[in-house]
Structures are given as C-alpha cells and as structure tokens.
Amino acid sequence: MSIQISPSLMCMNLMEIKQQLSVLNSRADFLHVDIMDGHYVKNITLSPFFIEQIRPHTPVAIDVHLMVETPTDFIAAVAQAGADFICPHAETINRDAFRVINQIRALGKKPGVVLNPATPVSWIHHYLHLLDKITVMTVDPGYAGQPFIPEMVNKIAELKALKMQHGYRYLIEIDGSCNQKTYGTLLEAGAEVLIVGTSGLFNLHDRLEIAWDKMMSNITQAQSLLQESA
C-alpha cells in the first residue's frame, strides 16, 4: 500500500486558500480539518462553516478531527457541511462510543477515532472493527510545530499488527511532526496516512506545488532507505 497524504488545512496560507486548494485538489488523498473548541484544547481553529465554504471547491475527501469536549455537539454540523471522515478523540466518546460511531455511520460518513499520546490502544479494543481510520497523535494535541514523541512508534506498530491479524479495515494515520526527520520511522512502524503541516509541507517553499514536490522527494527517499535496509 502506498502512503497517503493529508495536508492539515489549519497550516495553509488562508490568504491564498483558493490557489492552494487548486494545488492540493490534484495531489492530496485527504484534506485534514481541525476543529477545536477552546476547552478540550486551549486553542480554536477551523469550523463547520469552513468545511461548508471549501466543500464546493474540492473533490478530495475531507477528514475532520474533533478536538472538542462534546463531539455530539458537532457531528451533525460537520456532516451536513460536507465532511467525509469524522474523528473524535477516544477520551471524549468512550462512555458512549458505539452510539457515537453509529451516529456518524447513520449520517453516511466514515467514523474514525483519535488516540492521544498517553492513550493506549486497549481503550478502543472493543470497537476497532467498526472504525475506518485511527489517528495516532505523535504530539500532544492543540498546537502545530511540537516535537515528535518517539514512544508512539510502538503504538503504530501495535495497530498495524492488530489490523493484519484480524483483517480490520481502518487506516493508520499519523498526526504530529510528520516531516523529513520522521518519515522513515513512521513508515517502518506501519503508518498509512501522514498528516502534513508546517514542517512537512507548507514551510518547505512559498509556492505550494514546489513544496509538495519537495515533500514527496523526502518521502520517496525515506522509502528507498527502508527498502535498502530490508
């Protein structure tokens, strides 16, 4: 399986959103939209209204990361706005995870779940088979540009092993410090989707198409080194 790329739109240049979307539309596998409520994390970023505004201008699947205390306050709104994947944090849904997953599925969307660095895979064992995506946070949530937490490599490998053993369908996605320094480690552990932000994509060049090519060159180099060492 080739690696899939999900640019984090909170890191894009919002003054050039139309031009940058046109670049991403022919390249990205997903568009990652962070929604924060200022409570679950001490930050506020994008919104259901943002999704509604970009939806007519992109054919790419929109993947919504709900960094919010009460996901059920947002699920219907982001679904109506045009989200394709809806991914709350495990800590916010485990009291009623099956009901939340069923709600997402009933709206015609794909359910995912996000694991904070200190949250073990065991928290979601009972509903792994219902998920279309699992996002492993390799930084603490809420802010861009944080350092990679190396202890997360084992968590990625654990999810990969469980997927292979049981035939689960979920994609293994990585959120946090996905860049040239970490690509090799993440790919070797079993990452399937990389969320790229400032360090991985948007800060590589002022022109996004050039930045994209640089990013892909870095990923290809990491893949080649892994093949050589296999």
Side-chain angles (χ1 to χ4, degrees):
M1 178 181 179
S2 60
I3 196 71
Q4 298 186 74
I5 305 298
S6 182
S8 176
L9 298 193
M10 79 171 186
C11 300
M12 73 191 306
N13 184 349
L14 294 177
M15 298 300 292
E16 299 181 5
I17 186 170
K18 188 173 182 180
Q19 186 274 333
Q20 295 207 337
L21 271 180
S22 70
V23 173
L24 298 178
N25 282 345
S26 61
R27 294 167 172 82
D29 299 287
F30 305 93
L31 297 176
H32 187 80
V33 174
D34 288 300
I35 294 182
M36 308 180 191
D37 62 0
H39 299 285
Y40 185 72
V41 293
K42 300 300 181 183
N43 200 358
I44 296 175
T45 50
L46 306 176
S47 68
F49 179 72
F50 176 83
I51 299 167
E52 183 181 346
Q53 293 299 298
I54 68 169
R55 181 72 282 177
H57 303 287
T58 181
V60 181
I62 295 176
D63 174 27
V64 177
H65 177 183
L66 292 178
M67 279 181 266
V68 300
E69 289 282 2
T70 312
T72 51
D73 290 345
F74 291 83
I75 288 170
V78 299
Q80 185 176 2
D84 296 288
F85 286 77
I86 301 177
C87 307
H89 278 254
E91 299 88 355
T92 67
I93 67 168
N94 267 13
R95 184 176 62 183
D96 51 0
F98 289 87
R99 184 174 67 84
V100 172
I101 291 168
N102 288 337
Q103 179 189 5
I104 295 169
R105 188 83 66 191
L107 290 166
K109 309 304 178 180
K110 294 183 177 181
V113 73
V114 184
L115 295 176
N116 278 334
T119 304
V121 174
S122 60
W123 272 42
I124 61 172
H125 268 176
H126 291 295
Y127 55 89
L128 280 172
H129 61 291
L130 299 175
L131 299 173
D132 288 298
K133 186 159 63 63
I134 299 174
T135 304
V136 177
M137 297 294 299
T138 55
V139 300
D140 286 321
Y143 297 92
Q146 296 184 80
F148 180 77
I149 300 173
E151 289 85 352
M152 295 306 98
V153 173
N154 288 338
K155 184 184 291 184
I156 299 165
E158 180 182 357
L159 286 167
K160 184 69 171 183
L162 286 167
K163 179 176 180 176
M164 298 296 290
Q165 181 181 353
H166 298 285
Y168 294 141
R169 65 172 175 266
Y170 56 74
L171 292 169
I172 302 170
E173 180 178 71
I174 313 304
D175 189 354
S177 200
C178 293
N179 55 45
Q180 186 177 11
K181 295 179 181 178
T182 61
Y183 290 145
T185 299
L186 296 173
L187 295 174
E188 186 176 25
E192 297 170 346
V193 183
L194 301 176
I195 297 172
V196 289
T198 51
S199 64
L201 175 60
F202 292 99
N203 279 359
L204 296 182
H205 198 278
D206 290 340
R207 289 178 56 189
L208 186 54
E209 60 270 32
I210 296 176
W212 186 277
D213 290 343
K214 287 187 173 183
M215 174 195 69
M216 291 307 300
S217 176
N218 291 336
I219 292 173
T220 299
Q221 183 179 18
Q223 290 172 322
S224 297
L225 289 173
L226 286 176
Q227 290 173 355
E228 291 174 7
S229 62

